[in-house]
Amino acid sequence: MSRASIAEVSALIADLATFRWDRTSAGYAELMDRKADLLERIATHTPGDDETAEVARLARGRADALKTPN
């Protein structure tokens, strides 16, 4: 798993600002999935940091909850 780059984090923050009022769109769910992915990658590269791992776990749970069943 590759490290999250500053450019990826910056792009996510910019995209989140665009979608901050539209929490029901598929675009928002996609952004939350990207956010969870970045946080998981950060947690992977900071072993032993339980708080970071917990934040990543919670973000993944929220992102998965936004996915619609096929």
Side-chain angles (χ1 to χ4, degrees):
M1 194 176 274
S2 64
R3 286 184 183 259
S5 71
I6 295 297
E8 289 175 298
V9 173
S10 295
L12 177 67
I13 291 169
D15 290 345
L16 285 170
T18 300
F19 282 95
R20 73 176 174 244
W21 302 111
D22 185 11
R23 295 186 182 269
T24 59
S25 73
Y28 183 76
E30 182 181 317
L31 285 173
M32 293 301 96
D33 193 56
R34 282 175 50 201
K35 175 184 168 184
D37 177 63
L38 282 172
L39 291 171
E40 288 169 336
R41 289 166 48 204
I42 291 167
T44 297
H45 290 283
T46 54
D49 186 338
D50 294 337
E51 185 176 353
T52 300
E54 179 66 4
V55 168
R57 186 189 67 75
L58 291 171
R60 173 52 58 206
R62 290 181 188 127
D64 289 348
L66 292 171
K67 294 178 182 176
T68 56
N70 296 1

